Each structure stands twice: as structure tokens, then as C-alpha cells.
Amino acid sequence: MIYLDYAATSFVKPKSVYKAVMNAMMYSGANPGRGGHSLSVKAGEIVYETREKLCKFFHADTPEQFSFFPNTTAALNAGIKGVLTPGDHVVVSSMEHNSVARPLEALRRRGIITYSVVYADGSGHLMPEDFLKAMRLNTKLVICTHASNVCGNAYDIYKIARLVRSRGALFMADCAQSAGVLDVNVSEMDLMAFPGHKGLYGPQGSGGLYVREGLYLQTLIEGGTGSQSEQLYQPEELPDRLESGTLNVPAIAGLGAALDFVSDVGIKTMFNHEQELLTLFSEELKNMKEVQIYGDNAKTGIVAVNLPQIDCVDAATILSNEYNIAVRSGLHCAVWAHETLQTVETGCIRFSFGYFTTKKEVKKAVDAMYHLSKLTV
């Protein structure tokens, strides 16, 4: 199969990732921090070494600023609900994933917070200054995605962060589509959520949350941390405060190997490869008058399209069944973004490329789209 759904999860993974996962399960399959025996110690070493790699990769100060979560959604929820208190106001962009929109809406419906949405234009373009305009005296948190999971637009989160933090608000970045694709420097952020299984090429079940040193978060989950077990209250220190229960050591081991892989290849090299594929695909599709392309030019390796005469779900099914091409169709768990792009009624077809995608595969996708564009339904 030609796999063009990297925005959902990367596939295939580097061989070193598979090996690291299997080795962790076979040779260090114990609970980290829950015993003094050699297997537990080895598991703990895997967890800490991966934390150290995250610290270096994202330009943080200390490894303890990174807490592991099973995915970006869990990390976003922990960050959002960890810092907000009754009466707070939040500013968020209209290009956010439901992993941001739904927690905020849940808190709003419970009467805990209010939020304002900064709307992008019809191409999904955001103006950093608009976040300042939306702020109020009680604005506690500003959230912005680094790159859209729908159309691939990339945003200047650093400028947004500097603007809103100068007004005393916290800034949180959703780096679900940018970690491993764009350089992410957490030194200008208060919170940052990321997945291990997308642009970092780690296994599913891996992800995390960066928390700026000194920032206190309320907990969503309390329980065993392997530390301060004599106390009935949750530890104050990170990462223990946010990591109750048994960690997914095999996934964390795989993430560690994936970070080595991306670091060795180089983000710039991987980004340039994706951009080359993106340009090849987009330029060919622009010559097909029947194809509608969404988004602006500042893009990651994602192309969102529609064919007016074919429902996007039907088109994706044809691509899979007849051309053996895997893409994503529908609303991509991002209703605000689709409202912004005016595709909420139709959804769209999303092609997304990765480091293991070849030019030959992209050319086959171009040919398939050309044949689809000539169909009459």
C-alpha cells in the first residue's frame, strides 16, 4: 500500500524503533521506579534516558520538565485543565484540533471558564496580533497549534508566545503536527504537547507534555508514582506529579530510539524531503481544474483537497480499493478548522507525506487524482 496518512500516524517506523520496543518488552519488562531489582532499574533507565533526549531535542532546561502521556490529547487535557481555574479566560485559534476545542467547551459548559476564538481567514492564515486583540484582563491561557492537521498551514507560535506572554498570559503550543517536522524550541513556551508517533516516528501510545519550570499544575489523575508513597497527597514535583500509574515503557523505549533516528537524519533534511514531495504533488494538482486545494503556502507535508463531483469519503474509498493508496477523509477531528476553510459540510481528502514517502508514490497519487477528477458520479 502507498501510505499517505502520516498526519494521523507515521508508518512505517525506523527498524531501530521496532527493536527498542521489543527489547524493552523482552529484557526490561518491569515497572520503573517500583523496585530495586535489576529489571526495574533498567526500565527506569530507559524512561530517564528518553526524558533526557526530549530535553535536548526540544531545547529545554531539564529532563524533569517532560511528563509522558499516551498521546497528545491526554497531554493537552492535562495542561489545559491543570492551569485553568474558575473565572479564567482563554484565547484559542480557529484552526485547533478537537483535543483543544472539546476540553475548553467542556469547561465552558460547566461554567468554569470562558474562551474567545481568533479566526483565521478562508485560507487558514492567522495573524499573531489578533491574539492580543482577543485578550481580556482575566485571560489566563492562550493556545495555538503549530501546524494545522487539516490543511498543513504552519504558524508563528514564537511571535504569538512573545506577544501574549508580555501581557502576563500563559502560552501553550499544540505540536501534534510539528514535532519532528519543524524545529520546536520550548524556551519561549509555558506548555507544549506533542505525540511520539507522528513526525517523531515513535510508536503509538507515546507522547508527552512540556511544563515550564516553576509552573504549577492541578492534577487530573492521582495515584502511585513510585515516590513519596508514605503520603496521601500527590507529589508536588514534576514529572511524578503528572505520571500516576505504570508507564508504557516499551513505547517510551521506542520513542527514545525514534528521537535518535530523527536527530541523526536531521529535521532540516526530513523537512526538505517533505517539501519536495509537497511541491511535486501540489503543482500537479493545481493543473487539474476540477481539484480544490485548501490552505496557504506556509505548509507542512499535508495537502487537503476536494473533488466537487465526488464525496470525500467515496474518493478516499476509491483511492484505497482501486489504487491501494491510504489517505484520510472527513472532518479530521477539527470542526473549527473546517468551518474556517468552509468545508464543514463536505469534509475533505487529506494527503500527508513523511520521510519514507517516495517520489514514485507521490506520482502514483497524482495519477490517481487525475483519473478521479475525470469521473462523473
Side-chain angles (χ1 to χ4, degrees):
M1 172 169 276
I2 298 174
Y3 185 82
L4 301 179
D5 196 19
Y6 277 80
T9 192
S10 54
F11 182 80
V12 294
K13 312 292 184 183
K15 291 181 180 179
S16 58
V17 171
Y18 298 128
K19 183 178 179 180
V21 172
M22 185 59 69
N23 283 345
M25 295 183 71
M26 293 178 64
Y27 304 117
S28 53
N31 260 3
R34 266 69 166 184
H37 55 80
S38 59
L39 287 177
S40 178
V41 171
K42 178 59 179 175
E45 289 173 351
I46 289 172
V47 171
Y48 189 74
E49 287 169 3
T50 302
R51 234 188 279 278
E52 287 184 312
K53 292 174 184 179
L54 288 170
C55 179
K56 181 178 179 181
F57 190 87
F58 290 121
H59 313 286
D61 294 324
T62 66
E64 290 75 20
Q65 292 171 292
F66 291 90
S67 299
F68 290 110
F69 287 88
N71 47 54
T72 318
T73 299
L76 285 166
N77 271 265
I80 290 169
K81 296 172 182 177
V83 299
L84 295 177
T85 55
D88 286 339
H89 175 254
V90 181
V91 176
V92 65
S93 89
S94 69
M95 299 305 293
E96 303 306 313
H97 191 273
N98 283 353
S99 297
V100 170
R102 284 181 170 176
L104 292 178
E105 180 62 14
L107 292 172
R108 186 195 68 82
R109 292 191 179 204
R110 288 160 55 191
I112 296 174
I113 63 138
T114 56
Y115 65 82
S116 300
V117 180
V118 172
Y119 288 93
D121 64 20
S123 296
H125 180 70
L126 286 165
M127 296 294 292
E129 294 77 11
D130 289 343
F131 287 84
L132 272 184
K133 296 174 184 177
M135 291 180 68
R136 302 175 185 173
L137 291 176
N138 63 332
T139 300
K140 177 73 166 295
L141 177 66
V142 175
I143 309 171
C144 187
T145 183
H146 198 181
S148 168
N149 74 302
V150 177
C151 63
N153 287 9
Y155 301 109
D156 190 351
I157 56 172
Y158 302 107
K159 184 173 183 179
I160 297 169
R162 288 191 293 269
L163 288 172
V164 303
R165 293 179 81 193
S166 71
R167 296 283 186 89
L170 300 173
F171 179 77
M172 182 178 195
D174 175 2
C175 292
Q177 297 299 331
S178 63
V181 178
L182 304 172
D183 187 38
V184 177
N185 189 330
V186 297
S187 64
E188 297 189 59
M189 308 174 194
D190 298 292
L191 297 156
M192 187 275 290
F194 67 94
H197 67 99
K198 297 188 182 188
L200 292 176
Y201 294 87
Q204 292 163 321
S206 63
L209 178 69
Y210 161 82
V211 181
R212 186 249 301 156
E213 195 167 3
L215 181 60
Y216 182 84
L217 270 65
Q218 297 291 340
T219 54
L220 294 181
I221 300 173
E222 297 81 35
T225 60
S227 61
Q228 302 179 32
S229 297
E230 74 282 1
Q231 299 174 351
L232 282 178
Y233 52 86
Q234 194 75 358
E236 300 287 325
E237 299 79 14
L238 293 173
D240 290 12
R241 182 166 181 77
L242 301 179
E243 290 182 347
S244 294
T246 300
L247 291 174
N248 189 344
V249 177
I252 292 171
L255 175 56
L259 288 163
D260 290 338
F261 171 79
V262 175
S263 297
D264 289 344
V265 174
I267 288 180
K268 186 174 182 180
T269 298
M270 300 178 84
F271 177 78
N272 288 341
H273 175 69
E274 288 188 24
Q275 289 298 300
E276 191 174 4
L277 301 177
L278 177 69
T279 300
L280 171 63
F281 188 68
S282 299
E283 292 302 316
E284 291 290 344
L285 261 60
K286 287 177 183 177
N287 295 325
M288 303 177 196
K289 62 181 181 179
E290 301 87 355
V291 178
Q292 172 70 50
I293 304 176
Y294 304 97
D296 62 21
N297 294 322
K299 293 169 68 70
T300 55
I302 294 174
V303 183
V305 303
N306 263 324
L307 294 160
Q309 79 279 22
I310 306 177
D311 178 82
C312 70
V313 175
D314 293 336
T317 301
I318 295 171
L319 286 170
S320 178
N321 293 344
E322 297 187 16
Y323 297 94
N324 203 31
I325 298 173
V327 297
R328 171 83 184 269
S329 63
L331 295 180
H332 311 89
C333 302
V335 65
W336 281 349
H338 280 280
E339 289 174 350
T340 302
L341 299 171
Q342 299 181 9
T343 54
V344 73
E345 298 296 330
T346 61
C348 67
I349 313 160
R350 184 185 71 188
F351 294 80
S352 50
F353 313 122
Y355 182 67
F356 296 112
T357 308
T358 66
K359 288 184 180 180
K360 183 178 180 180
E361 290 175 328
V362 171
K363 289 177 181 178
K364 287 184 178 181
V366 169
D367 291 340
M369 283 298 293
Y370 175 78
H371 292 302
L372 281 180
S373 72
K374 300 304 178 184
L375 289 178
T376 54
V377 179

